[in-house]
Every structure is written in structure tokens, then in C-alpha cells.
Amino acid sequence: MSQAVADELAIHQLNARYADAVHRRDADHWSSLWAEDASWDFLGQTITGRDNILAMWLGAMEGFPVVYHQSHAGIIEVDGDSAKCRWSINEEIIDAQQQALRFVGVYNDVCSRVGDRWLYQHRRFDVLYQGPGAFNPEGALPYPDDIKGSV
């Protein structure tokens, strides 16, 4: 397998692990996907540093007891130890008031190779749609406890 293909597969895996950690609400695994000095442009704010990014995420997740994060249509352009990526996402959410919400947006990322891993160096999330969700809170079930650990 060529290095370019291996890099693209590793970056796809990074993005898949991100969605998986969101579903499982696994803060340790989620934060491990970010470079130590990463930055995140999230809803009009720039957060810098892995610890600050994690704190922001934990605070945001408190308001959303149920989050189904789906990533689609990844585009990856690798240039050495850096890569630019774009991911379309759809999130179905139930908020703390038991209201169903939907967010459709796009992540524009810069990923960096750190040792033998690819990590998020910079993520920018832009909302393209925010509105009522298509499903109701009564139908939402928690992520199964017996498979909450990371793969």
C-alpha cells in the first residue's frame, strides 16, 4: 500500500473515531484525537489547546444528552505530514429540554502527523442548517453499555 493511501485511510479512521467517541460520550478518547496545541473554531469561538477544547466539548455535551453524529463525504488532501480535510456532517440531537434538533454542517480540518498518528490540528465547524429534528425524544435509546469502550 502506498504512503498516500495509508495516510488517507488513517485520516478516515481519525474521523470515524471522532464520531464514535461522540456517540459513546467518551471524553478521554475524543480528546486523544486532538494535537496538544490544536485549535477549534466552534460556533463563532476559537478554542486553543487540547485541554480547553475538551472543556468546551464537555460543557456543550451537558446540554445535549443524546447526540447522533454522522459524517459524510470526506475529502482529504495530504501534503507530507499535514492534510486538509472537509467533512459534511449531520447531527440529530435531543437537548436538555427534551427537544429534538438537527444540525447540518461542514468541518474544515487541518490534520497533522504526530509520530505515527494523525491528529486534528485545527477544526472549523460551520453550521449550514439548524432547526427542529426529525425524530422525537421518546424514541431515543442510550448507547449500549456493554460496548461503550473504544475499539
Side-chain angles (χ1 to χ4, degrees):
M1 171 181 344
S2 74
Q3 186 63 50
V5 170
D7 289 339
E8 284 196 30
L9 286 172
I11 294 166
H12 272 287
Q13 187 67 222
L14 171 67
N15 201 54
R17 289 185 181 281
Y18 181 95
D20 179 63
V22 169
H23 291 160
R24 294 180 300 106
R25 306 178 78 83
D26 186 333
D28 290 336
H29 187 78
W30 187 88
S31 68
S32 76
L33 305 174
W34 296 81
E36 190 69 36
D37 61 344
S39 61
W40 188 22
D41 290 341
F42 180 68
L43 303 178
Q45 241 182 302
T46 300
I47 304 101
T48 303
R50 180 189 297 154
D51 292 342
N52 294 329
I53 291 168
L54 176 58
M56 176 66 170
W57 184 74
L58 288 170
M61 292 297 277
E62 284 179 11
F64 304 124
V66 177
V67 178
Y68 302 118
H69 179 95
Q70 304 162 33
S71 181
H72 311 280
I75 298 170
I76 301 169
E77 296 177 358
V78 177
D79 184 10
D81 289 338
S82 182
K84 292 181 180 177
C85 312
R86 181 173 303 119
W87 312 95
S88 300
I89 68 106
N90 181 51
E91 285 186 327
E92 301 283 343
I93 294 171
I94 297 176
D95 69 13
Q97 290 75 43
Q98 294 295 297
Q99 298 298 307
L101 303 171
R102 171 179 278 167
F103 292 92
V104 175
V106 62
Y107 270 112
N108 283 281
D109 299 336
V110 175
C111 298
S112 296
R113 187 191 328 261
V114 178
D116 63 349
R117 297 181 65 207
W118 283 93
L119 300 173
Y120 296 116
Q121 187 64 50
H122 178 80
R123 294 203 92 186
R124 175 181 165 173
F125 178 65
D126 291 295
V127 175
L128 303 176
Y129 171 81
Q130 176 180 343
F135 65 107
N136 71 46
E138 290 79 31
L141 301 172
Y143 200 89
D145 284 334
D146 64 331
I147 57 172
K148 279 194 174 182
S150 61
V151 176

